[in-house]
């Protein structure tokens, strides 16, 4: 059953290295109230598919490093999210391989944005759900902190705490790597996107605010600890 608190826009993960095309796709989808997440190579795409739990993945076949087919195969090991392959080649062989590896649809460049949006909608309708993990109501726990992903609620010792969207995403990134290092660049990629070239102090400012909101004593953090020169670590104690 859907209540307003559970509602979130459909999220599309775009794994594509062609910046101009990404811009057009983002613009087209966001004009239709979709939320977008962008990754410009396969590895970042896989991370984003785990972290952001998209409703549809648009996956370029020709990516630097890991190929789109490999990315597709790997996504299928942990998710049945609909995947639409994007390719410059109109070759039957690629099409068949992509579909065999678990892609749900296939589009050959250049395609119209109207067509793309229609295909994305069709996949969402067909999958008949509001997100791959939407019904599991995933809750991350660590120390006194509880992060209810789908309801987008944070509790500390059972008390609801108000976080800004970036603070929430940052805490989620940290907690998904509980007791492991979260490297600075990884956090920046996940929270601000791989194309973020702003001030890296932004991360520290957000960490500071987060500590003030969730740590018992923000001057002596026990859960969001600094790993000098490398990043941060969420410690579950
Ligand atoms: Ca490409």
């Amino acid at each position: 059953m859907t209540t307003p608190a559970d509602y979130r826009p459909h999220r599309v993960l775009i794994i594509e290295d062609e910046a101009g095309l990404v811009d057009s796709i983002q613009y087209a989808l966001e004009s239709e109230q979709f939320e977008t997440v962008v990754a410009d190579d396969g590895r970042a795409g896989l991370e984003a598919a785990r972290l952001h739990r998209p409703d549809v993945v648009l996956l370029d076949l020709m990516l630097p490093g890991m190929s789109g087919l490999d990315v597709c195969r790997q996504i299928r090991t942990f998710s049945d999210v609909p995947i639409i392959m994007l390719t410059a080649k109109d070759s039957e062989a690629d099409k068949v391989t992509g579909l065999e590896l678990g892609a749900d649809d296939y589009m050959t460049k250049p395609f119209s944005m109207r067509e793309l949006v229609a295909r994305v909608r069709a996949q969402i309708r067909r999958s008949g759900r509001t997100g791959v993990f939407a019904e599991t109501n995933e809750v991350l726990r660590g120390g006194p902190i509880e992060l209810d992903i789908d309801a987008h609620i944070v509790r500390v010792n059972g008390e609801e705490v108000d976080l800004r969207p970036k603070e929430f995403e940052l805490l989620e990134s940290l907690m998904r790597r509980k007791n492991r290092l979260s490297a600075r660049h990884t956090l920046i990629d996940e929270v601000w996107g791989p194309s973020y070239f702003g001030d890296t102090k932004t991360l520290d400012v957000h960490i500071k605010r987060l500590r003030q909101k969730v740590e018992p004593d923000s001057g002596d953090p026990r859960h969001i600890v600094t790993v000098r020169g490398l990043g941060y670590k969420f410690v579950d104690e």
Side-chain angles (χ1 to χ4, degrees), residues 26-87:
Q26 266 191 302
Y27 181 79
L29 289 171
E30 287 173 8
S31 316
E32 300 290 330
Q33 316 309 322
F34 289 94
E35 211 176 272
T36 61
V37 177
V38 177
D40 63 1
D41 67 36
R43 218 160 295 278
L46 277 175
E47 279 273 337
R50 286 182 199 276
L51 186 71
H52 297 282
R53 305 179 315 287
D55 300 295
V56 174
V57 175
L58 301 177
L59 175 57
D60 182 27
L61 183 64
M62 303 292 281
L63 288 165
M66 188 188 286
S67 86
L69 293 178
D70 287 335
V71 176
C72 182
R73 189 181 310 133
Q74 293 214 24
I75 289 177
R76 280 291 169 263
T77 64
F78 62 88
S79 166
D80 60 350
V81 59
I83 298 175
I84 303 176
M85 300 285 294
L86 309 178
T87 179

Side-chain angles (χ1 to χ4, degrees), residues 9-226:
H10 290 294
R11 188 177 294 151
V12 181
L13 168 60
I14 306 163
I15 309 176
E16 166 67 75
D17 60 317
E18 217 174 296
L21 180 59
V22 169
D23 285 349
S24 311
I25 294 175
Q26 266 191 302
Y27 181 79
L29 289 171
E30 287 173 8
S31 316
E32 300 290 330
Q33 316 309 322
F34 289 94
E35 211 176 272
T36 61
V37 177
V38 177
D40 63 1
D41 67 36
R43 218 160 295 278
L46 277 175
E47 279 273 337
R50 286 182 199 276
L51 186 71
H52 297 282
R53 305 179 315 287
D55 300 295
V56 174
V57 175
L58 301 177
L59 175 57
D60 182 27
L61 183 64
M62 303 292 281
L63 288 165
M66 188 188 286
S67 86
L69 293 178
D70 287 335
V71 176
C72 182
R73 189 181 310 133
Q74 293 214 24
I75 289 177
R76 280 291 169 263
T77 64
F78 62 88
S79 166
D80 60 350
V81 59
I83 298 175
I84 303 176
M85 300 285 294
L86 309 178
T87 179
K89 300 190 210 167
D90 191 9
S91 130
E92 274 302 307
D94 287 333
K95 190 164 180 164
V96 170
T97 311
L99 296 174
E100 276 174 357
L101 288 176
D104 299 272
D105 197 1
Y106 213 89
M107 293 187 79
T108 304
K109 299 174 192 177
F111 43 78
S112 82
M113 291 302 139
R114 185 183 303 200
E115 173 74 11
L116 180 80
V117 171
R119 301 269 193 113
V120 166
R121 286 222 167 90
Q123 288 302 327
I124 287 172
R125 257 199 314 276
R126 195 174 306 163
S127 63
R129 61 189 165 192
T130 56
V132 186
F133 300 102
E135 293 179 11
T136 63
N137 197 32
E138 192 182 7
V139 178
L140 305 178
R141 291 187 179 83
I145 304 164
E146 215 180 75
L147 201 64
D148 185 330
I149 302 295
D150 298 303
H152 219 268
I153 290 172
V154 185
R155 289 186 199 87
V156 179
N157 293 318
E159 299 258 329
E160 232 176 271
V161 173
D162 210 20
L163 294 190
R164 298 189 190 180
K166 291 290 183 210
E167 293 165 359
F168 189 97
E169 283 180 51
L170 183 55
L171 185 56
E172 181 180 345
S173 288
L174 288 162
M175 290 182 78
R176 284 195 188 281
R177 277 186 215 86
K178 202 156 66 175
N179 301 319
R180 288 184 290 147
L181 170 71
S182 292
R184 296 182 63 86
H185 65 89
T186 306
L187 292 172
I188 291 172
D189 267 18
E190 286 179 357
V191 179
W192 285 273
S195 51
Y196 179 82
F197 293 112
D199 192 346
T200 56
K201 284 273 172 249
T202 305
L203 174 61
D204 306 300
V205 170
H206 278 76
I207 289 281
K208 191 175 168 196
R209 282 206 221 115
L210 206 47
R211 281 172 172 160
Q212 286 164 353
K213 292 180 179 179
V214 305
E215 288 280 359
D217 174 6
S218 65
D220 181 20
R222 291 169 51 188
H223 304 295
I224 303 172
V225 302
T226 303

